[in-house]
């Protein structure tokens, strides 16, 4: 395992009370990548060409040190700006030193080049924007999460990455986005370190599980970092699995994530992303009862990831999987609904999406 002694620290995380799960909605009620009640007005305003609501949203989460929300909102606003940039260009022109505008600008710059074959070279030109975002508010860990993603995409060395990681930890010791960025860098770094051999996947995945499990053990019970071992399991399962990670370790990761999911309200868009990934893990582990229970917590809130890995219609793909779970009894999920990596649809294998980072 690549030694990363600075990776384990204490965390801060806002508490969410669990509510009893409700029924499973119909397909007509399901929505894809739905924003929550705070983000939705900002996106509606941006659609009208107005930036003030977005600026106030990020200013509010920054002032309250709501770093998980701050990160999530910055990502979503950057994704919207990638499609419709006029409102964001007006924001930058009117308030060039606003920390929120600088943060979205850094995320947007990374998003724009992530899928390019020349990503490593193009990302080096983005560094000044990330630096500007980090300097705008020294407390904010989100620019450092962007820097961690940037380091992976630009193939930065391990020592440099550790410096970024330590800086992120000083600001938010258990920020989930930073931990996911570190986990993904670790997997990529291990593959480079061990070279092109049959043992590379096993070595990389074991290193990721080691890191994820230690981080989760050190985190409070309500921290999203409890999801990190399931993230490692997700990476392992979507990359073909294989020897080196015992089934017990995969089940333990899923169990930890199930416990975390139960702490959040049912049918809530906030934890929808982690719940959708967990559903994939449970299905791949052939745990249909746990998957059906999770469907009630997911409710109508479907996320593109991981279903866009298998289909250009992620919502429809999710609904077909859900229908099978609810009506198929104990029958295994058909291969066409949950293909293993070797059977992915043409154009989906290795396809770099903005959400990949």
């Amino acid at each position: 395992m690549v030694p990363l002694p600075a990776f384990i620290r204490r965390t801060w995380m806002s508490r969410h009370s669990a509510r009893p799960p409700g029924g499973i909605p119909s397909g007509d009620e399901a929505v894809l990548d739905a924003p929550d009640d705070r983000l939705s007005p900002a996106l509606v305003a941006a659609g009208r060409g107005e930036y003030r609501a977005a600026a106030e949203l990020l200013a509010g989460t920054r002032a309250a040190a709501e770093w998980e929300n701050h990160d999530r909102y910055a990502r979503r606003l950057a994704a919207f700006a990638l499609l419709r940039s006029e409102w964001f260009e007006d924001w930058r022109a009117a308030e060039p030193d606003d920390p929120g505008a600088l943060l979205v600008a850094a995320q947007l710059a990374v998003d724009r080049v992530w899928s390019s074959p020349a990503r490593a070279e193009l990302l080096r030109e983005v560094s000044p924007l990330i630096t500007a975002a980090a300097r705008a508010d020294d407390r904010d860990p989100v620019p450092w999460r962007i820097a961690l993603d940037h380091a992976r995409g630009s193939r930065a060395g391990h020592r440099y990455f550790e410096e970024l990681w330590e800086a992120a930890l000083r600001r938010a010791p258990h920020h989930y986005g930073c931990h996911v960025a570190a986990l993904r860098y670790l997997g990529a770094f291990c593959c480079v370190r061990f070279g092109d051999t049959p043992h590379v996947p096993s070595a990389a995945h074991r290193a990721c599980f080691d890191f994820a499990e230690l981080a989760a053990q050190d985190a409070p019970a309500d921290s999203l970092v409890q999801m990190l071992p399931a993230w490692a399991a997700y990476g392992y399962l979507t990359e073909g699995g294989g020897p080196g990670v015992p089934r017990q370790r995969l089940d333990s990761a899923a169990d930890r994530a199930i416990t975390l999911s139960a702490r959040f309200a049912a049918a809530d868009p906030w934890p929808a992303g982690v719940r959708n990934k967990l559903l994939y893990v449970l299905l791949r582990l052939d745990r249909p009862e746990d998957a059906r229970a999770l469907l009630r917590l997911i409710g109508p809130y479907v996320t593109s990831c991981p279903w866009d890995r298998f289909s250009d219609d992620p919502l429809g793909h999710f609904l077909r999987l859900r229908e099978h779970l609810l009506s198929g009894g104990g029958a295994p999920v058909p291969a066409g609904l949950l293909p293993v990596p070797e059977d992915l649809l043409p154009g989906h294998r290795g396809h770099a999406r903005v959400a990949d980072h």
Side-chain angles (χ1 to χ4, degrees):
M1 174 182 174
V2 179
L4 294 168
F7 269 20
I8 312 304
R9 297 291 187 273
R10 297 174 58 191
T11 191
W12 174 91
M13 176 69 189
S14 61
R15 294 185 178 273
H16 295 254
S17 59
R19 300 175 189 169
I24 296 176
S26 68
D28 291 341
E29 295 173 326
V31 290
L32 184 69
D33 298 329
D36 63 20
D37 292 341
R38 298 170 71 185
L39 177 61
S40 182
L43 293 177
V44 170
R48 296 196 301 262
E50 303 166 4
Y51 67 84
R52 176 52 52 195
E56 292 176 352
L57 177 64
L58 290 184
T61 52
R62 186 174 61 254
E66 297 177 19
W67 301 129
E68 303 293 356
N69 281 327
H70 194 60
D71 195 354
R72 189 160 55 99
Y73 294 153
R75 289 177 186 262
R76 292 294 298 271
L77 290 168
F80 191 80
L82 189 63
L83 300 175
R84 299 183 59 178
S85 62
E86 298 84 358
W87 66 277
F88 181 63
E89 292 169 357
D90 290 345
W91 184 7
R92 291 208 70 192
E95 302 179 26
D97 298 323
D98 177 60
L102 291 169
L103 181 64
V104 175
Q107 182 67 65
L108 178 59
V110 172
D111 290 350
R112 279 176 170 159
V113 304
W114 193 263
S115 298
S116 170
R119 177 175 69 194
E121 292 73 22
L122 293 172
L123 279 174
R124 295 187 181 102
E125 301 174 6
V126 174
S127 296
L129 290 174
I130 301 175
T131 299
R135 288 176 175 171
D137 188 334
D138 189 59
R139 302 174 306 141
D140 190 349
V142 182
W144 298 93
R145 191 271 304 156
I146 298 173
L148 294 172
D149 286 334
H150 177 275
R152 176 168 58 91
S154 59
R155 301 170 188 163
H158 185 55
R159 181 171 296 179
Y160 174 68
F161 186 90
E162 280 195 325
E163 292 175 357
L164 296 176
W165 173 246
E166 291 173 3
L169 287 180
R170 287 196 297 271
R171 288 157 177 84
H174 274 273
H175 182 256
Y176 178 62
C178 288
H179 277 75
V180 171
L183 183 70
R184 304 185 80 167
Y185 177 90
L186 181 59
F189 180 86
C190 285
C191 287
V192 171
R193 182 189 185 200
F194 293 122
D196 188 14
T197 75
H199 301 293
V200 168
S202 294
H205 289 302
R206 283 197 302 271
C208 288
F209 270 92
D210 289 344
F211 164 58
E213 289 166 354
L214 286 171
Q217 289 168 16
D218 194 54
D222 60 355
S223 169
L224 282 179
V225 175
Q226 296 294 336
M227 179 66 185
L228 209 62
W231 241 112
Y234 171 76
Y236 173 78
L237 293 168
T238 55
E239 292 172 19
V245 179
R247 171 62 189 249
Q248 181 180 3
R249 207 168 190 183
L250 297 169
D251 281 324
S252 178
D255 291 341
R256 185 184 287 273
I258 288 172
T259 300
L260 173 68
S261 173
R263 290 178 169 270
F264 296 99
D268 184 348
W270 199 90
V274 296
R275 283 173 170 162
N276 275 253
K277 291 186 187 72
L278 174 57
L279 180 62
Y280 171 85
V281 171
L282 292 172
L283 291 173
R284 285 292 306 276
L285 295 179
D286 193 22
R287 294 174 55 168
E289 291 301 322
D290 288 326
R292 279 191 281 271
L294 185 61
L295 283 176
R296 291 178 170 81
L297 294 177
I298 290 173
Y301 296 110
V302 185
T303 57
S304 293
C305 183
W307 315 118
D308 61 354
R309 187 179 182 90
F310 314 113
S311 172
D312 291 324
D313 177 18
L315 178 58
H317 193 85
F318 172 88
L319 293 176
R320 289 188 292 274
L321 273 170
R322 189 178 72 180
E323 181 180 5
H324 172 81
L325 274 173
L326 298 180
S327 63
V333 177
L337 285 180
L338 201 69
V340 296
E342 289 76 10
D343 299 328
L344 290 184
L345 300 176
H348 288 78
R349 176 188 296 279
H351 177 54
R353 305 178 297 272
V354 168
D356 282 342
H357 64 279

